[in-house]
Amino acid sequence: MRSFIVSAALLAAAASAAPAPASSYGGGQQPFKFPLANGFPNIKAPSNTLTNIETQAHGTLPNGALPTKLSANSIATFSVIAANELFEVAYFTSLIKNITHGVQGYEVPASDKDYILKSLTAIRAQEELHAIGANAILASAGGKPIAPCEYVFPVDNFQAAISLAYTFTDVVLGTLQDVQAGLIANGDGELVPLIGSIIGQEGEQNGAFRAFDEKIPSELPFLTRSAGAFAFSAINQIFIVPGSCPQSLLSSIPVFGALAVDTMNIQPKDQTLTFSFENTKGVKVKDLSLVYINQQNTPIVEKICNVKTKGKMVTFDATFPYSANLMNGLTIAAVTNSAGPFADADAVAKDTLFGPGIIEIN
Ligand SMILES: *[C@@H]1O[C@H](CO)[C@@H](O)[C@H](O)[C@H]1NC(C)=O
């Protein structure tokens, strides 16, 4: 129980801190910068360095032919995937370093340390291969490989870091479902199995993170769906140091305004939650709705109540209908400019102004 509390609180804090300069994260944290000691992300294929990464990852990059042509939408999708995988490599590199050096807050029991480091080292190498693979697809299919940005991580202890890891991995797992649907819709369905192999892989990671945190490994019967714009917005709002990306990443993918979940310590029960956002767009709050995406269910639309405005900051309440829907695992909250009804996460993303608010229960 302890950690989802930590994670909801941290993510709320991170989301509300999102527009602030990087120096306000993690108590003046130094941003994480690439390259890694092995030169990643600049890895030649073939090379001894790549072979070393593959050995650590317990397997190889796919050795079949790369696609030589993809739709513009699929190029944008693989750009988001590459951007996300680069961030994940940064995150796990920082985490491994903290645990290895026993940084304050990251002292894990000696009996667990080897297993945790062995797992995280393989996971980091696997993420390196995901990033190299996505960039190789971009290069081969007429896109532009994605270069890394600088990153900050709004956590300062092992438990919070693990809880944040399975929370953002949940967002990725939801987004990759949407990636598969998009690849098929755009005539690039031959890449669906590759994405399926990554979904399973990231799910295995999440089972381990949840177990490190004493949660049951499998969180839901049907994992929560997400959409590329939610994942991309979350990475930008929470982790990327503003202005640090060498290329204007992806103009076709929107970055929403941040939506903070202000209620801490969210329990598995029906309740009212409080949210806030900075109304930089000057929208009329009475025209907005709050939408929850959980599992494979139709998005739930709630009324925005009890609105309070202070300068540009808007705080409001919305019902969280836990018990009728068993809203465990990841719930994505979004403030939309319509009341739907929405068929799925993608439809919600199209009408989203602020989000994702990230809620993780059990
Ligand atoms: C590593 O430790 C530093 C110092 O506490 C912290 O700022 C950073 O967020 C940690 N990284 C991760 C991924 O937990």
Side-chain angles (χ1 to χ4, degrees):
M1 280 301 133
R2 196 158 63 119
S3 51
F4 86 73
I5 294 165
V6 174
S7 116
L10 278 165
L11 283 164
S16 50
S23 58
S24 69
Y25 290 96
Q29 172 176 129
Q30 279 296 318
F32 181 97
K33 288 186 195 156
F34 282 102
L36 304 187
N38 68 0
F40 180 91
N42 310 311
I43 304 293
K44 288 200 178 63
S47 66
N48 287 339
T49 313
L50 179 60
T51 304
N52 288 340
I53 297 171
E54 290 179 329
T55 305
Q56 279 192 332
H58 287 209
T60 67
L61 282 172
N63 63 4
L66 292 166
T68 51
K69 200 170 171 304
L70 288 176
S71 66
N73 282 341
S74 299
I75 297 267
T77 295
F78 275 95
S79 305
V80 174
I81 292 175
N84 175 68
E85 301 291 2
L86 287 165
F87 147 70
E88 290 197 24
V89 173
Y91 191 86
F92 292 119
T93 299
S94 172
L95 183 56
I96 289 167
K97 188 171 152 207
N98 288 353
I99 297 168
T100 305
H101 298 295
V103 166
Q104 194 187 355
Y106 292 82
E107 307 93 341
V108 296
S111 53
D112 298 340
K113 191 169 172 176
D114 277 356
Y115 178 72
I116 289 174
L117 282 175
K118 196 167 128 188
S119 304
L120 289 174
T121 301
I123 287 170
R124 190 235 334 239
Q126 289 160 351
E127 299 297 2
E128 286 179 73
L129 294 184
H130 293 169
I132 293 168
N135 269 339
I137 287 174
L138 286 169
S140 151
K144 251 176 92 182
I146 298 298
C149 312
E150 293 176 16
Y151 310 88
V152 284
F153 315 115
V155 284
D156 64 2
N157 64 78
F158 176 72
Q159 183 133 31
I162 289 297
S163 153
L164 182 55
Y166 62 71
T167 302
F168 70 66
T169 303
D170 271 340
V171 176
V172 172
L173 284 166
T175 304
L176 291 177
Q177 300 166 30
D178 204 51
V179 165
Q180 291 186 315
L183 287 170
I184 291 170
N186 290 295
D188 297 319
E190 71 277 7
L191 290 169
V192 166
L194 174 73
I195 301 301
S197 77
I198 298 173
I199 293 178
Q201 200 279 340
E202 303 263 349
E204 290 180 330
Q205 290 185 31
N206 248 17
F209 299 148
R210 289 174 57 86
F212 291 168
D213 202 22
E214 292 172 21
K215 290 201 154 54
I216 60 163
S218 53
E219 66 182 74
L220 286 166
F222 301 97
L223 292 182
T224 297
R225 174 116 180 236
S226 178
F230 288 128
F232 192 54
S233 292
I235 296 171
N236 274 277
Q237 293 164 2
I238 304 174
F239 301 111
I240 291 181
V241 175
S244 71
C245 298
Q247 69 215 104
S248 73
L249 256 183
L250 312 154
S251 43
S252 62
I253 310 278
V255 175
F256 304 128
L259 174 65
V261 185
D262 291 344
T263 307
M264 304 284 172
N265 197 356
I266 299 174
Q267 299 296 315
K269 61 172 192 195
D270 293 337
Q271 60 199 290
T272 299
L273 298 181
T274 302
F275 299 86
S276 60
F277 61 86
E278 200 183 347
N279 192 359
T280 45
K281 302 170 204 217
V283 290
K284 288 208 182 75
V285 179
K286 69 170 180 47
D287 299 338
L288 306 178
S289 297
L290 192 273
V291 184
Y292 296 113
I293 304 160
N294 177 250
Q295 306 180 59
Q296 296 287 313
N297 293 329
T298 316
I300 300 167
V301 181
E302 294 290 346
K303 289 207 169 56
I304 286 182
C305 325
N306 197 18
V307 176
K308 296 188 185 110
T309 308
K310 199 175 167 197
K312 286 196 168 133
M313 281 312 294
V314 176
T315 304
F316 68 90
D317 293 342
T319 299
F320 182 69
Y322 173 84
S323 56
N325 305 284
L326 288 178
M327 295 170 79
N328 290 309
L330 174 70
T331 295
I332 290 177
V335 169
T336 56
N337 59 12
S338 91
F342 300 105
D344 56 25
D346 214 30
V348 177
K350 289 199 171 77
D351 283 358
T352 292
L353 298 177
F354 301 94
I358 296 172
I359 297 165
E360 181 94 36
I361 293 182
N362 284 334

